[in-house]
Amino acid sequence: MISRIYSRFCQTLPAPEGSKGLLVAFSGGLDSTVLLVLAVQFAREHRLGLRALHVHHGLSPHADAWVAHCEGLCRQLAVPLLVERVQLARGNGESLEAQAREARYLCLAAHLGQGEWLLSAHHQDDQLETLLLALKRGAGLRGLAGTVPSQPFAGGLLLRPLLEVSRAELAEAAASLPHGWVEDESNLDESYDRNFLRQTLIPQLKARWPAMAQTAARSMAICAEQEALITELAEEDWHRAGEGDALHIAPLQALSPARRNNLLRHWIRRQGGEMPSRELLGLLWQEVALAREDANPQLGLKDLECRRFQGRLYLVRPNLVPRHEELPIRVGESVELPDGLGQLSLCLQPEGEGLRLPRADEPLSVRFQVAAGSMLKPVGRVGSRRLKKLLQEYGVPSWQRGRIPILYYGEQVAAVAGLFVCDGFLVPAGGIGWHWQKPEPVEI
C-alpha cells in the first residue's frame, strides 16, 4: 500500500529539480506520519534536504507527549525536527481552531526557506469536509473549489500531494509501518463542525454513496477551473476600471450585475479584505457607489471601510486620523512612519532630478501638517495655493489628508510625498532622491 501511495505522491509533486529542500508539517498524527515517511524516501532519491516542523499549541494535556513521540520518530528516520510552541488566547471571540491554524501557518512560513517546498498531509476526505463546510457558509466558487494542491507560500511552495488519497488508504498504509502515531482526543469532540462531519455525517454519506469523496473532488476541480476563468475575466475588467488601489465607478455601470459583482469581489480580495455577503455587496453598490454626488458615503466591511471620492471607490482602514508627529531624518536614512503609513527614505542621487542638498541651518524632518495659512508653490505651477486646495486639485481623498508625509527643510516645506516638490528645492542632478514605501495589502 505504501508503495502505491508513494507512486501517486511522486506524480503529484512538481519536478524535484525545482526544489531547494522540503519542510513537512508534522503533527505526529496518522496522516502526517505517512506523509513524513513518503517525504523521507523522496528526499533520499532526489538528494534534497528535509526537515519537519511540529507546532505545540498547548491545548491538550498530552501535547508534551506528542512532542516526545515526534522527536523519537524523527530520530529513527534521521529527520531534523523543529518544535515551535505557541500561545493561543482563550475567550477573545475567535475560535481556538482558527487561532491554532493561523499560528501554525505563521510558524511554517517563518521556517520555510526561499525556494523550498512545504508539504502538508491534507487528503481526499479533508476535501469533502471542506466542501461541506463551504456549503454551510454559502461560499462562492473559490470556497467550493476547496484546497488547492499547489500554491505559492512564503517564498516557496505549499504542496498537498495526498489530496487524491483517501483516509482509509492512509490508515492502511500507516498500519503497515512500525512507527505508530498520536491520536488527538479533540478530534472526537463533535462541538467542532469539522469533527461532526468526520465522525457522524460523512460516514453516513459514504455508507450510502461509497464514491462520495471522489465525486465531490471532481466537482471541486470543476469549481476551481471556473474560479480561474472568472478571475481572468475580473483581471481584464480591473485593467479597464482600476487605478492604483481605487476602482472607477463609471466603467462598473457598463457591466452586467453579475460581472460587476465579480469585479468588486476581485478588488476587495486584492486589497486583502474579507469577502462580503451578496447583501453587503448590494449595499456597497447602492449606498456608496450610487449615492448622491454631494454625499460622503461609507460602508463597513469588517476590517475595512468602503468610501467614495471623485467617482472612485476606495477601501481604507476605519477611523483614520490626521498625524501630528515631527520625525527627524538625514540623507542616507530611512524613517518608519506612524500608524502603518510605511517608510520614507532619503538617498544621494547623482543623476536625474532630485531635491537640493540642505544647508547647515536646514535640519530635515518629516511631518504631516503645515502651519495655518501657509502657501505652497509646486514646481511648474503658476501662483501659490494653500495645502488643502492643492490636495483637492491633486485628487487626494479627504481621509488621506493629514496622513501624507511632508519633507521639511528647517521650517520650509520642500516636498509633499507622491505629489509635488516646492519651487526652489528641485535640482536637475546631484541632489537627494526620496522614496515613500507604502505598506502592501496582504492577500488572503
Side-chain angles (χ1 to χ4, degrees), residues 261-383:
N261 285 344
N262 183 46
L263 177 53
L264 287 170
R265 291 190 184 98
H266 183 72
W267 170 61
I268 293 169
R269 189 176 294 119
R270 284 176 63 102
Q271 304 289 333
E274 186 173 301
M275 283 301 96
S277 64
R278 292 183 66 191
E279 292 75 17
L280 204 55
L281 210 58
L283 288 175
L284 187 158
W285 181 246
Q286 293 295 330
E287 299 187 5
V288 180
L290 301 184
R292 66 180 191 275
E293 287 297 319
D294 60 345
N296 182 26
Q298 49 192 289
L299 178 70
L301 301 174
K302 197 173 181 182
D303 295 330
L304 294 172
E305 215 169 57
C306 183
R307 303 185 68 160
R308 188 190 69 185
F309 179 75
Q310 293 186 349
R312 287 167 291 186
L313 294 174
Y314 294 84
L315 286 176
V316 301
R317 286 195 294 113
N319 305 316
L320 297 179
V321 296
R323 310 305 306 181
H324 298 276
E325 291 85 351
E326 179 177 338
L327 309 171
I329 189 171
R330 291 186 295 187
V331 179
E333 290 185 348
S334 298
V335 63
E336 288 291 334
L337 304 175
D339 201 25
L341 289 173
Q343 186 181 74
L344 189 79
S345 306
L346 299 183
C347 63
L348 288 175
Q349 187 166 286
E351 297 181 359
E353 288 186 337
L355 299 169
R356 68 169 175 80
L357 296 174
R359 299 190 301 267
D361 62 344
E362 292 179 318
L364 301 179
S365 63
V366 179
R367 310 179 196 179
F368 300 89
Q369 307 289 334
V370 299
S374 295
M375 305 291 284
L376 307 180
K377 184 178 182 299
V379 170
R381 297 285 294 266
V382 176

